[in-house]
Amino acid sequence: NPVSLADAIECLPSQFKGVYVTPHCTRPAPHGAGLISRIKASSRASDLIWCEGSVDEVLRDGDTVMGDNYAGLDCVLISSVEEGGPLVLLEAMACGVPVVMTPVGLKAELEQQYGRLTVEIPHNADGDTIAKAILDAIHPLNRAAVDRARELMIYEFNSIRLRTDFEAMVVTAA
């Protein structure tokens, strides 16, 4: 949702920049040129950086360690209407980057089991609401939730732990 990012940038202090990652476009987006024109007309359009490609390509180029690139971000905004995961949520949490997001994907399940890990925004959030959520997410008072999310990813969802759990399940089933 690029409009949500553009609207939030309008409401944030001038030192904030937005990086919008969009999939490779092989055909025009359903929202069309009107949406892009609206974003480009924003008074802070120059503070938006557009990256075409997957999050994987943009944040992990070549041999770069994922965390090195995530470390350059103050916050990750996930303003999707629907998501399967998203993987960027898990990656940001593993790298200790605060996340602001709509109630999609794994968010509800993770937070039901482990407590608040992200700053939630509604699906129809305006720029002011998103900007406030971003400022809340990067505030030192939110650091405990960010650190808890990072520890959860490192200790509960690491590949060794998942393999061990899977092996135990297979042995039990056999």
Side-chain angles (χ1 to χ4, degrees):
N1 183 355
V3 173
S4 64
L5 176 60
D7 289 347
I9 291 296
E10 289 272 336
C11 300
L12 287 165
S14 62
Q15 74 266 24
F16 286 87
K17 308 284 185 228
V19 178
Y20 181 73
V21 179
T22 182
H24 292 295
C25 296
T26 56
R27 57 183 160 64
H31 34 65
L35 174 66
I36 304 303
S37 297
R38 178 177 165 204
I39 293 168
K40 289 183 176 178
S42 158
S43 64
R44 302 248 334 254
S46 63
D47 290 334
L48 288 172
I49 301 161
W50 292 78
C51 299
E52 187 173 308
S54 68
V55 171
D56 195 56
E57 292 168 327
V58 172
L59 291 178
R60 277 174 279 152
D61 56 332
D63 294 328
T64 305
V65 175
M66 175 178 63
D68 292 345
N69 289 322
Y70 271 92
L73 303 176
D74 294 311
C75 180
V76 168
L77 169 65
I78 302 168
S79 57
S80 305
V81 175
E82 55 186 45
E83 279 284 353
L87 183 57
V88 69
L89 165 66
L90 305 178
E91 291 174 346
M93 290 192 318
C95 294
V97 178
V99 176
V100 172
M101 70 181 294
T102 51
V104 295
L106 295 171
K107 178 187 177 342
E109 185 178 340
L110 287 171
E111 290 187 341
Q112 181 179 10
Q113 187 168 355
Y114 300 103
R116 188 182 68 77
L117 302 168
T118 67
V119 175
E120 185 172 313
I121 55 171
H123 288 290
N124 59 351
D126 61 14
D128 286 327
T129 301
I130 297 169
K132 181 183 179 319
I134 289 170
L135 294 174
D136 288 348
I138 65 174
H139 194 279
L141 291 175
N142 190 51
R143 194 71 230 169
V146 174
D147 291 343
R148 192 172 66 256
R150 184 170 191 274
E151 289 176 14
L152 174 67
M153 292 299 110
I154 290 171
Y155 298 111
E156 293 292 323
F157 294 101
N158 68 65
S159 59
I160 295 168
R161 167 83 189 266
L162 293 173
R163 185 195 74 212
T164 303
D165 289 351
F166 181 75
E167 288 172 348
M169 182 183 71
V170 169
V171 168
T172 302

